[in-house]
Amino acid sequence: MTAEDRSETVDREAQSSQSDYPDQSVPIEAIYETMEDLGRPIITASELGRQLNCSQHEAETILDVYTTDKKLNTFDVSADPVVWYPSDLNAVAKRERIVLFPTRREIVVDQPTQYTRAQLSQFAHLVDSTGTDPGTRGYLYRIRPEDVWAAPFDDTESLLRSVRSVLPRQSPHLEEWITDQWERAHQFTLKTHPDGYVVLEAATENLMGNVARQKLSDEQLHAPISDTESWVRDEAIGTLKRTLYEAGYPVVDNRKLETGAPIEIELTATLRDYQQAWMDMFLTQKAGIYVGPPGSGKTIAALGTLTAIAGETLILVPSRELATQWRDEICTHTTVDPRNVGEYHGGEKDISPITIATYQTAGMDRHRHLFDSRKWGLIIYDECQHIPSNIFRRSADLQAVHRLGLSASPVREDEKEAEIFTLIGPPIGTDWAALMEAGFVAEPEIEIRYVPWRDEIKRNEYSSADGRQRYQLASMNPAKIDEVRYLLARNNSSKALIFVEYLDQGKAIADALSIPFLSGETPHYERQRLLSEFKTGETKTLVVSRIADEGLDLPNAELAIVASGLGGSRRQGTQRAGRTMRPAGSSIVYVLATRGTREEDFAQRQLRHLAGKGIKIREANISE
Ligand SMILES: Nc1ncnc2c1ncn2[C@@H]1O[C@H](COP(=O)(O)OP(=O)(O)OP(=O)(O)O)[C@@H](O)[C@H]1O
């Protein structure tokens, strides 16, 4: 229990009830002054109670009064005490404020400088943010073991220097924990013995004996070489990494990896600083996942990595359309001879020095030779947050190859985290807000528009339906068609994508507004035609179904209307909002949710998550 936490266990008896404001009419200025005195723009009820000589309960009542009239907000921190902060942080905060909650390993930052955010994104991750304009935004960061494990530093000292450079004061408790986690991530190392076989080395005899040899089977730990070294079979490396990761010991992989048969290739694009940083980190770790918002340049960074290794490369993508897009990108941004680039999927079966295959085809037994038909130096998993499990298994054996994942969605949210971390590698990401500020990614504005029911019949139908059906009825509320029509008319100069969850709803909107509808049922050639017409501007509006979430590299759109389906998964939400986050001017995402239904709750939860990425959110009520 640190001093700070002790200070928060208020001795309620000691609180005299002679409050300075007996009728609780505390002016908001008194609360702001208390925050100024505390040196930070947030406050707990117990602190206010001490300041005003009243009980914690009375202080909470006072704070709630100002929360109701929106002068104060509360931070959704993981546990007591709740913190209150001014809705308009300019009222108290003139400059950056950082508060550390050591035992919860949470850091509250207001108006962080670019430097602070850049440092924090190296050893913590953004959990939530509040406020709308960059100048008044508050951020809540949390430090988890995997954040320390993936921290891009050579030693504990340099990691702690970065931590100390942003925190208001040193916290021995926190530094001890960080050091422990850092050391855990450097207890086991995989290396290549001069005779060519793989060795697992533990930092101590005890770790080898009590952790590795306890948790790993004889198949995985083939034979002991010394008290701290064991011979490892190649095919067991994937599961060995995963087992030790789950035991809290991520393995440092220092093996000499294949680089594959060399290929003549150079990058013609110039990497941006953050892309160069991603690549440097990857080449050091030999594995990892570039995490960044859609349009942030992950593909180009991957091409830079490909040309740095310059060995035969297998690229796995979710759909044939993306395979074609990758081929175009490779031929546009590198000097490779196009004859050395092949596609392998339902459409064509060409295994070349650079082969782009779909997960679906690569996962089929009859195509398993794809993985060992060439000496691959690099495997790239595009949209790696949803690799099918059989691909995990199949390519997990290819541990002797550099492995690069690309993902726009927060990989940490994915239940497959351990698999992704051990099969591919740790996230190599950057702070989304920094990318938006740098202008590499257009920051979308998102507005939830609460749509009323079209009529009483629909409302009653919803009330008498059960769970899942209710969500579908709310999503398909016919009143949304008029709302889509209105929004298109209001933004008639923009190219617009209308996302739907349900095919019937997509058809209804497409028919009512005479707009093409692109769904899984659309034949491949028709899909290509619609996409290229949308890209050239011949078609300005498209209705798209779920297929558009991750399977297609949708062209730029300034306007996105999510008629239904943002409530699906966080990942989908990120992708949909992100589809308009391409670096093309300002972009806006309207999310339609039927008022007073579960859809409204879903939408709000989704958007809080996106707000945590530093994206501006607004709300609007549509009158009946
Ligand atoms: N270093 C760079 N130099 C020039 N253009 C770049 C660079 N990085 C990215 N771009 C351009 O920005 C756009 C988005 O880049 P890219 O496709 O790599 O992003 P992405 O993160 O892969 O997007 P998505 O997640 O949607 O696939 C592309 O038009 C690309 O050409």
Side-chain angles (χ1 to χ4, degrees), residues 269-272 275 293-300 329 333 408 553 579 582-583:
T270 311
L271 290 184
R272 297 163 179 163
Q275 291 171 317
S296 58
K298 298 185 292 299
T299 306
I300 301 291
E329 290 285 280
H333 294 291
D553 199 0
R579 281 296 156 215
R582 298 215 166 264

Side-chain angles (χ1 to χ4, degrees), residues 28 31-32 35 63 66-67 70-73 84-87:
I28 187 74
I31 296 174
Y32 289 161
M35 292 176 181
L63 290 162
Y66 286 113
T67 309
K70 300 223 183 281
K71 281 208 171 64
L72 293 179
N73 283 333
W84 277 263
Y85 65 90
S87 307

Side-chain angles (χ1 to χ4, degrees), residues 47-60:
E47 285 161 342
L48 184 65
R50 271 197 299 284
Q51 196 73 15
L52 303 182
N53 290 324
C54 64
S55 72
Q56 176 165 339
H57 174 68
E58 285 164 334
E60 274 166 5

Side-chain angles (χ1 to χ4, degrees), residues 7 98 127 329 331 334 339 393 483 490 512 531 573 607:
S7 71
I98 299 178
V127 174
E329 290 285 280
C331 296
T334 75
R339 289 169 302 181
R393 274 195 308 280
E483 186 56 23
R490 198 170 81 169
L531 283 174
L607 296 171

